[in-house]
């Protein structure tokens, strides 16, 4: 158990819909990362938050947005869903300070299926 | 920008045989290198990492990797494969220690033949 909790584990929805994925980081971790894993694209970095502020942005579509709340949990919002958005979405957390082990702790992922 | 290339999307070895998973990196600055493992229906977990210092690093479950700057490689090895090693393995690189935005390779699925 990594200590990172993601909900829901599975989600099936239709094209054009909007979903929200939730992540609770490990206790004490200030940084949250979102990754998308698909068969054709592999593991792609989407976005990082540190203590409520956006720290880095990767290959995140404009239809997607994220935020980190004061209690440090994070949500990834996916809207106007397309078939190609079907993937496994991982949240990871890390200490995220200057004293770092360089290690990310991953949740078990949220599997999104768009029909 | 940094990147990693994993040679071989699928590798099969017999139980008890040597495991060798290849990873080459590209980085304009000294990299930090990682190997993560993903078991079926689970998230990724860290196997080992190279930051600075000794170039041969040992990880969990008997795995080790050697950082070779001249070859820009960070290959993962294990002397004797076990059935429980069947999983997908990801090599990753970061150039900002303390800000762990990792760039992952495409992964290598390891199958162990009984």
């Amino acid at each position: 158990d990594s200590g990172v909790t993601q909900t829901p584990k599975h989600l099936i929805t239709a094209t054009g819909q909007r979903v929200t994925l939730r992540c609770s980081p490990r206790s004490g971790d200030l940084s949250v990362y979102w990754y998308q894993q698909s068969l054709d694209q592999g593991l792609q970095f989407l976005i990082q938050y540190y203590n409520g502020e956006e720290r880095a942005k990767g290959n995140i579509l404009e239809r997607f947005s994220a935020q980190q709340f004061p209690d440090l949990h994070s949500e990834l919002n996916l809207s106007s869903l397309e078939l190609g958005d079907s993937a496994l979405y991982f949240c990871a957390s890390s200490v995220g300070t200057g004293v770092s082990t360089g290690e990310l702790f991953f949740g078990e992922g949220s599997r999104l299926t768009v029909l | 920008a940094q990147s990693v290339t994993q040679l071989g999307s699928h590798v099969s070895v017999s139980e008890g045989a040597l495991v060798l998973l290849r990873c080459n990196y590209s980085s304009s600055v000294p990299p930090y290198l990682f190997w993560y493992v993903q078991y079926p229906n689970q998230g990724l977990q860290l196997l080992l990492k190279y930051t600075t210092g000794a170039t041969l690093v040992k990880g969990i479950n008997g795995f080790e990797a050697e950082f070779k700057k001249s070859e820009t490689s960070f290959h993962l090895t294990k002397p004797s494969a076990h059935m429980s090693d069947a999983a997908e393995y990801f090599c990753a690189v970061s150039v900002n220690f303390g800000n762990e935005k990792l760039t992952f390779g495409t992964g290598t699925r390891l199958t162990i033949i009984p």
Side-chain angles (χ1 to χ4, degrees), chain A residues 46-103:
Chain A
L46 295 179
I47 198 165
Q48 176 202 0
Y49 280 83
Y50 172 75
N51 203 21
E53 299 290 326
E54 182 181 305
R55 173 67 69 90
K57 187 176 280 191
N59 300 322
I60 188 166
L61 300 172
E62 287 192 7
R63 299 184 287 108
F64 297 179
S65 64
Q67 56 184 326
Q68 186 180 26
F69 294 86
D71 67 352
L72 301 178
H73 91 271
S74 178
E75 294 180 356
L76 178 67
N77 300 296
L78 316 175
S79 62
S80 303
L81 286 168
E82 302 175 359
L83 296 179
D85 298 328
S86 295
L88 191 54
Y89 291 85
F90 283 109
C91 171
S93 72
S94 71
V95 174
T97 66
V99 179
S100 170
T101 65
E103 180 174 0

Side-chain angles (χ1 to χ4, degrees), chain B residues 52-67:
Chain B
T52 58
T55 57
L56 180 64
V57 294
K58 296 184 184 299
I60 62 173
N61 301 336
F63 284 92
E64 61 182 38
E66 186 171 11
F67 171 62

Side-chain angles (χ1 to χ4, degrees), chain A residues 1-2 4 6 8-10 37 87-90 106-111, chain B residues 37-45 86-88 90 109:
Chain A
D1 182 3
S2 68
V4 178
Q6 289 188 248
K9 292 191 185 305
H10 301 276
Q37 186 179 38
L88 191 54
Y89 291 85
F90 283 109
F106 282 81
E108 295 187 353
S110 293
R111 182 170 295 281
Chain B
V37 60
Q38 184 181 25
Y39 298 104
N41 300 314
Q42 295 187 26
L44 284 73
Q45 65 181 84
E88 186 142 21
F90 293 89
R109 183 168 298 279

Side-chain angles (χ1 to χ4, degrees), chain A residues 13-27:
Chain A
T13 189
T15 54
Q17 295 298 305
R18 171 191 168 96
V19 298
T20 297
L21 309 181
R22 181 188 169 100
C23 169
S24 294
R26 285 191 325 156
S27 177

Side-chain angles (χ1 to χ4, degrees), chain B residues 7-48:
Chain B
L7 300 176
S9 58
H10 291 85
V11 171
S12 296
V13 301
S14 297
E15 190 174 16
L18 171 72
V19 175
L20 170 61
L21 304 182
R22 300 179 186 273
C23 173
N24 288 90
Y25 70 90
S26 172
S27 176
S28 58
V29 298
Y32 303 104
L33 295 161
F34 306 82
W35 277 99
Y36 279 79
V37 60
Q38 184 181 25
Y39 298 104
N41 300 314
Q42 295 187 26
L44 284 73
Q45 65 181 84
L46 183 68
L47 267 182
L48 49 78

